[in-house]
């Protein structure tokens, strides 16, 4: 996959998190309550998105796959990739 695009070319539509090079980008995303966040795996490895509190959990996502979750409640939601627990991300949901 020699065409990996650098971060900075992220689409602006919606609340998006890219998964690339074993990292969530942005690692901390702030959204308003009621927002839907979409994660897209741009890596060559499968990844998941799994909330530490169990409030959301994606299936395994291959390259190019996406997972969406709507955050109805304000709070701070830490998550990991369950395959690679060293991958951490946070969604901060504001009122
Ligand atoms: Cu992973």
């Amino acid at each position: 996959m020699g065409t990996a695009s650098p971060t900075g070319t992220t689409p602006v539509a919606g609340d998006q998190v890219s998964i690339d090079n074993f990292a969530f980008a942005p690692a901390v995303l702030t959204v308003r309550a009621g927002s839907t966040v979409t994660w897209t795996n741009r890596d060559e490895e499968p990844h998941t998105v799994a909330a530490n509190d169990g409030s959301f959990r994606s299936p395994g996502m291959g390259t190019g796959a996406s997972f969406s979750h709507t955050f109805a409640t304000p709070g701070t939601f830490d998550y990991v990739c369950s395959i690679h627990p060293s991958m951490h991300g946070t969604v901060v949901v504001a009122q």
Side-chain angles (χ1 to χ4, degrees):
M1 313 261 177
T3 55
S5 55
T7 51
T9 55
T10 311
V12 278
D15 296 303
Q16 305 278 337
V17 178
S18 289
I19 308 171
D20 199 2
N21 197 25
F22 292 88
F24 298 106
V28 180
L29 178 70
T30 301
V31 300
R32 290 191 176 280
S35 297
T36 298
V37 176
T38 301
W39 289 263
T40 302
N41 184 8
R42 304 190 185 285
D43 220 340
E44 297 170 35
E45 294 287 327
H47 295 295
T48 73
V49 176
N52 292 2
D53 67 0
S55 57
F56 57 93
R57 183 185 186 96
S58 78
M61 295 188 287
T63 304
S66 293
F67 170 75
S68 294
H69 178 73
T70 299
F71 290 86
T73 311
T76 299
F77 299 89
D78 294 317
Y79 61 91
V80 297
C81 169
S82 62
I83 303 171
H84 311 106
S86 63
M87 295 172 60
H88 292 274
T90 303
V91 176
V92 178
V93 182
Q95 293 233 333

